[in-house]
Amino acid sequence: MGQTMSDGRTDVVYLDYNATAPLRPEALEATLGALHCVGNASSVHHLGRDAASRVDTARRQLAELLTCTPGEIIFTSGATEANNLALRAAHARGGVFVTTAVEHPAVLEAAQAITMETPGSLVVLPVDKDGVVGLESLDEALRHHDVGVVSAMIANNETGVLTDLGPIVKAAHEAGALVHTDATQYVGRLHLDLNEVDVDLLSLSAHKFGGPQGVGALFVRRGVPLPHRPLLIGGGQERGWRAGTLNVAGIAGLGAAAQAARLQLKHEAARTTTLRDSLEQELISNVPGCWINGAPVPRLPGVTSVTFPGVPADAVLAAMPEVAASDGSACSSGAPSPSHVLIAMGRSREDADSTVRFSLGYATTECDIDRAVDATVRAVTYVRSVMAGPAKP
Ligand code: PMP
């Protein structure tokens, strides 16, 4: 199904779900419903109570998706804020900060800023050629340092590569460290049960699973000894963790998207895996020399990171405006530096710059994949021919 783009153009194949997913109809309805009401969720009159009850509903819907309790959720403006909030508070316990080389900048740069005044208190774990964090490097960090917090993403935004958090959590907890995970790309896409995944802190953003942009949440496990270090101070909302009038409409949309994602999760995961696999097979069969980053290891269902060696990704994307995809991570597009994720996986700068990320989701169809394959094959062939220059007489 072609998605309607915000500039009014239709019939664009939208394969950029990791940048943002289209708003689910359920989320649109809940958001509009809340926008029509006037109350502040902190007011005691019935209009305020109506707003508060929409927030309560959303908190319960999100808790059901995560298998946690509503009281363990703090609503934020998104994963960036949730990451910053979590990491600042966790680091205030003291100790060395451990994270991985493939984190989103909302973790990596936050970690650098938070540890800036204590040189030597940040350890960044390397990954292998498939983007997987080695447990040996974590064990070594835990042996040599007094580690306060370990932050490891459960799914990578550029490659979709998954992290097996079980052994990381076990090792970190045995050493007395807290564990945070950036689950922004995972929540709503694969099953998550916070009774099984024993992390202390988890960040998410609504718009990655079909909710509105600009709203997210931080899960803080009950009983975790987390120093109270809010980023925003004032009104005491969210149990003093996030002051400011609640974004009731956004939160209502987040809740409705969480519920829809939970109910359709198994079906959507299976469907997007099949579509992603077919996209990869077609590209590999039709574009000589291309490869899939992280192909041999477990990945998110709907994401593929494809390198077309020697063919700049921005030129490929420009040559196929009918497909909306990303060169590397959309969050860093515009920045001159190559993808730090692919570089950490040992790719050259040239290969990193020749990599396109296609990310699929709940509304992607077989027809979208067929059109994307045709467009990509044509675009890569065209860019290669332009780069080869005119044939010599
Ligand atoms: N973490 C990851 C893994 C992400 O992919 C993103 C968004 N690209 C973020 C954090 C930040 O999310 P937001 O911009 O919604 O705050």
Side-chain angles (χ1 to χ4, degrees):
M1 180 185 73
Q3 299 290 326
T4 304
M5 307 305 284
S6 58
D7 64 356
R9 270 190 303 149
T10 52
D11 218 24
V12 169
V13 178
Y14 188 76
L15 297 182
D16 207 10
Y17 277 67
N18 277 23
T20 197
L23 198 61
R24 290 181 189 262
E26 299 87 343
L28 179 61
E29 197 186 324
T31 303
L32 288 177
L35 280 172
H36 280 120
C37 72
V38 69
N40 182 318
S42 299
S43 298
V44 291
H45 51 67
H46 78 277
L47 295 171
R49 286 203 307 275
D50 174 51
S53 104
R54 289 173 199 263
V55 172
D56 289 346
T57 301
R59 211 184 288 280
R60 183 177 41 71
Q61 288 167 322
L62 180 59
E64 277 169 6
L65 176 65
L66 303 178
T67 327
C68 67
T69 60
E72 292 174 304
I73 289 167
I74 298 163
F75 286 119
T76 65
S77 65
T80 301
E81 184 188 332
N83 285 336
N84 276 269
L85 179 60
L87 299 181
R88 205 166 88 110
H91 188 59
R93 295 170 75 234
V96 163
F97 194 126
V98 174
T99 189
T100 85
V102 291
E103 298 298 314
H104 188 274
V107 166
L108 262 184
E109 290 180 20
Q112 281 156 2
I114 288 164
T115 56
M116 205 161 56
E117 272 155 30
T118 44
S121 65
L122 176 63
V123 174
V124 180
L125 305 177
V127 294
D128 68 13
K129 66 174 188 18
D130 294 317
V132 177
V133 182
L135 266 187
E136 320 70 54
S137 60
L138 174 64
D139 286 341
E140 201 182 309
L142 292 169
R143 254 197 324 276
H144 288 103
H145 303 280
D146 174 17
V147 176
V149 57
V150 176
S151 179
M153 71 198 321
I154 185 165
N156 186 267
N157 46 305
E158 293 190 33
T159 59
V161 169
L162 301 177
T163 304
D164 180 9
L165 285 178
I168 293 179
V169 172
K170 187 167 180 289
H173 281 174
E174 279 171 8
L178 293 183
V179 180
H180 164 259
T181 190
D182 180 349
T184 307
Q185 297 290 350
Y186 188 97
V187 167
R189 295 188 175 157
L190 283 175
H191 174 71
L192 179 67
D193 182 339
L194 282 169
N195 293 316
E196 289 162 10
V197 180
D198 194 20
V199 294
D200 304 293
L201 300 149
L202 175 145
S203 308
L204 62 94
S205 230
H207 68 109
K208 307 292 185 178
F209 55 88
Q213 297 180 355
V215 59
L218 174 66
F219 157 83
V220 183
R221 191 175 292 282
R222 175 164 304 159
V224 164
L226 196 66
H228 192 241
R229 293 287 188 281
L231 295 170
L232 302 177
I233 298 158
Q237 289 90 345
E238 297 298 89
R239 305 186 307 288
W241 274 101
R242 209 274 179 177
T245 300
L246 291 180
N247 170 7
V248 179
I251 291 169
L254 178 156
Q259 183 173 45
R262 179 174 62 82
L263 295 175
Q264 287 147 39
L265 193 126
K266 258 198 188 150
H267 167 71
E268 285 176 4
R271 224 178 55 81
T272 46
T273 303
T274 306
L275 292 173
R276 191 268 320 267
D277 290 351
S278 121
L279 172 64
E280 291 183 346
Q281 276 154 21
E282 289 298 320
L283 289 178
I284 287 182
S285 310
N286 291 293
V287 185
C290 76
W291 70 75
I292 312 297
N293 297 295
V297 297
R299 286 178 294 151
L300 281 175
V303 191
T304 185
S305 161
V306 192
T307 302
F308 303 102
V311 189
D314 52 357
V316 173
L317 292 173
M320 51 175 199
E322 68 274 41
V323 177
S326 266
D327 51 344
S329 145
C331 305
S332 59
S333 61
S337 52
S339 152
H340 70 284
V341 173
L342 295 170
I343 297 295
M345 290 164 70
R347 306 294 184 269
S348 66
R349 181 183 178 136
E350 200 200 17
D351 286 344
D353 287 341
S354 305
T355 300
V356 176
R357 178 188 70 185
F358 300 93
S359 47
L360 297 49
Y362 68 88
T364 309
T365 63
E366 261 177 58
C367 174
D368 287 336
I369 299 304
D370 292 345
R371 290 184 58 208
V373 169
D374 283 353
T376 310
V377 172
R378 250 185 295 115
V380 173
T381 309
Y382 168 75
V383 176
R384 276 186 177 152
S385 71
V386 170
M387 290 176 72
K392 297 257 172 352

